[in-house]
Amino acid sequence: MSATAPPGSSKSAPRVPWSSYTGVYLLLFLIGTETFLVSPLLPTIAGDVGVTEAAAAVTVTAYTLVYALTAPFLGAVSDRFGRRPTILAGTVLFLLGNALAAIAGDLTVLVVARVAGALGAALAGPSIWAHIAETAPESVRGRAVGLGMALFSAGQVLGVPAGSFLAGWGGWRASFWALTVLSVASVPLLLTQIRGARSRSDAPSVGFGSVFSVWRDGVLRHTLIVVFLLQAANLGAYTFLGTALHDRFGLSVDALGLLGILVGAGSALGSLAAGRIGDRARERGAGDAVWIPVWALLLGAAAALAALGSPQAVVYAGVLVWFFASGAFGTVIQTLLISARPELGATSSSWNSATLYAGTAVGVTAAGSFAHADTGTAVVGGGLALVAGLVAVPLVGRLRTSGPPQAAEVSPKSPEPVIRESRDSRKEVSADDHA
């Protein structure tokens, strides 16, 4: 039976098979949680292993750098050898890294553990995004990806309070034990739920050519440039928002903690809304790329409002809208990158993460160069988001010219996907390859 009903059919649209994604959704939540888990634990970790807080912060740097540098190469491995083995291998490496962190007796072992956890996340994460996009029915693909983005964002936001709570209850090691136990719980779910995942890609080889082929594709390259600009605006500005609000309103640490709730709620709601909007657009035979500049411009306006607005209620409203647009943008981009070139789905997704980190680094540097945090937040958040929106406009036209991207469809007779590309897409890639 086909995954989608033909146009004009009286059959109701299929639902997202939530029960078949519980394992990968749980893993996305855990990966998101681990990203910022260490932040509230630094003083405790430093005291326990006998180092300064600045030295303990190397565990955070090691995790983010290893993820950013290795994800594109590991994404190519997934595209070559398939989703199931890379998701399972990444999960095992992720849980072993957290188990090692829980028993680490010195900083060196803890850094090694964080590197292992980052490698596991970089191996499993892009494969999960590709798996969801390849196996969800086309009419609900956006909602399936959107829920994954919402849970990943929720994990990032909840990582800080969860780490603090567990550390207060059972010490900082309890946080890593919790991640280990929950990762172990995801394994039996994954074993049963990803049996239909793509076992092997049609990519001819894995190497530098495969990894960097994403940048030879005009549409993918253009999309990643937009990602770089918007994430520089988004996370670069957010880094200094707390300082800006403290300087302007004298907000306490507890009051600033409300920002985390608004960020998480906005991101989750935006991810879910964009998934539904995208599905409806595809039902009408159109793509949802037109929303990319909309979300970028909305993010920029809301970031400027949050940095310079008054009273505080207006600022909090701006933060909520800011991260609603951020979550929506992330969902649209994730779906587009995987659907545009299905055979490079995991590689494209991994470059999305790497570009996000690179953009964040540039945005933080730019925002930090201003004498006043509120000015830096407004200029970087509003200005770079405006540039991202303008750069995204020709991308929308480019996608309309070539037609909506063709995603992988799962054949009813086999779990192997049927890869279909539009003729215009092949022409564009060929032209770029020979440029």
Side-chain angles (χ1 to χ4, degrees), residues 75-102:
V77 171
S78 173
D79 286 330
R80 181 67 180 94
F81 296 103
R83 312 307 178 208
R84 180 181 170 87
T86 49
I87 292 174
L88 291 175
T91 302
V92 171
L93 192 56
F94 180 77
L95 71 88
L96 289 177
N98 285 298
L100 181 59

Side-chain angles (χ1 to χ4, degrees), residues 232-244 322-323 360 363-365 367-368 373 377:
N234 182 28
L235 299 177
Y238 179 64
T239 300
F240 293 93
L241 179 63
T243 302
W322 174 351
F323 282 90
T360 300
V364 169
T365 302
T377 300

